[in-house]
Amino acid sequence: MSVLEDIISGVREDLHERRLRVGDAAIRARAQAAPPARDAFAALGGHNDQAQRDQVLHVISEVKRRSPSKGALADIPEPAVLARQYRDGGASVISVLTEQRRFGGSLADFDAVRAAVETPLLRKDFTVDPYQIYEARAHGADLVLLIVAALDDEQLGSFLDLTHDLGMNALVETHTPGEVERALRVGARIIGVNVRNLKTLDVDRETFARLSGNIPDSVVMVAESGIRSSEDVGLYGSQGADAVLVGEALVKDNDPLTALRSFIEAGSAAKPPRGR
């Protein structure tokens, strides 16, 4: 069993327990009654003109307690405090891990962050059931994660459609050229390239450069994983990333606000003209 398969097995077990507490009809009703989602596509530069997209590298800053590869990363007693630092540092989107077994996250963390900031929020989890998409919207999510490697084509397309029907956007995560092709085929507007192979947890930072040329300018392109410093952000920016998703490097920094600002500055300065 791969790491990804093992994580998903646990996700399904935990989902079953939540479903017993809040049934499908109830979670759909809560999702429909939630305030309208914020436009994460626009927040990441998706509606901006060519010149503005060239100029700014956006950062998705993550509230992340643990990781399968590194174990415990940071004690985060008050996720809301960290989220406000991210907001003040210029984060375009804030990501909150809600997977518990491997990442130490929870919907309680998500709720605390949602109550603290108006910044668009990504519910970061392993989406394998429509229930989780309704659940994300019910808790105020604006963006959900869809991992291509975890879904077949029918699921990927229907999950993306449901996300859009609920007024949200999806970060569609890829790791191979074939996965990028599948994401584009279903109409993904925000595509992440994860340089970490979720089946083995190995990191190859050259993955982003290999895949970025396959993603058209109309799509917001997000570089994920492998970020240790401003230099790494600058490298992804120079390779055409519109945004980067950063968790570990920020939660382990004693001054995440300043670190975030340095990432935005380095990435924006390195961005080349569009038209890859």
Side-chain angles (χ1 to χ4, degrees), residues 48-248:
N48 291 339
D49 61 26
Q50 188 77 36
Q52 191 170 358
R53 288 187 73 183
D54 288 347
Q55 182 178 331
V56 179
L57 184 131
H58 298 271
V59 175
I60 304 172
S61 302
E62 193 155 82
V63 178
K64 183 177 185 179
R65 298 177 181 275
R66 298 178 52 84
S67 80
S69 61
K70 299 289 183 65
L73 298 175
D75 181 26
I76 306 174
E78 296 184 72
V81 172
L82 179 59
R84 291 189 190 101
Q85 290 178 308
Y86 286 163
R87 175 199 62 195
D88 295 344
S92 296
V93 170
I94 296 174
S95 169
V96 183
L97 261 300
T98 60
E99 195 282 331
Q100 183 174 2
R101 300 189 183 203
R102 293 296 192 100
F103 292 89
S106 67
L107 283 165
D109 280 352
F110 190 93
D111 290 342
V113 172
R114 178 74 290 164
V117 299
E118 289 297 319
T119 308
L121 297 189
L122 164 65
R123 191 256 178 112
K124 182 92 173 286
D125 212 315
F126 295 77
T127 305
V128 293
D129 191 289
Y131 182 98
Q132 294 164 283
I133 301 174
Y134 286 109
E135 186 178 51
R137 184 80 281 273
H139 284 263
D142 310 294
L143 189 64
V144 296
L145 178 68
L146 300 179
I147 301 173
V148 175
L151 304 169
D152 61 32
D153 285 348
E154 182 179 355
Q155 290 172 318
L156 183 61
S158 65
F159 287 7
L160 184 62
D161 288 345
L162 175 58
T163 300
H164 291 161
D165 288 345
L166 291 173
M168 296 185 292
N169 282 282
L171 172 58
V172 181
E173 182 174 296
T174 65
H175 182 71
T176 67
E179 290 176 4
V180 170
E181 182 180 346
R182 291 178 59 202
L184 291 171
R185 193 160 58 236
V186 297
R189 301 196 300 164
I190 306 171
I191 293 180
V193 175
N194 195 343
V195 305
R196 185 185 302 279
N197 184 336
L198 292 180
K199 296 179 180 179
T200 64
L201 300 184
D202 294 335
V203 171
D204 178 3
R205 291 177 180 82
E206 295 181 3
T207 299
F208 185 80
R210 288 197 297 268
L211 269 61
S212 60
N214 299 335
I215 300 174
D217 288 349
S218 58
V219 172
V220 170
M221 183 165 56
V222 182
E224 304 178 47
S225 300
I227 294 173
R228 303 156 297 184
S229 65
S230 296
E231 288 72 23
D232 291 326
V233 178
L235 176 62
Y236 286 142
S238 72
Q239 294 169 342
D242 296 303
V244 295
L245 191 155
V246 190
E248 179 182 344

Side-chain angles (χ1 to χ4, degrees), residues 85 249-259:
Q85 290 178 308
L250 290 175
V251 298
K252 293 175 69 173
D253 196 289
N254 291 327
D255 186 359
L257 186 153
T258 300

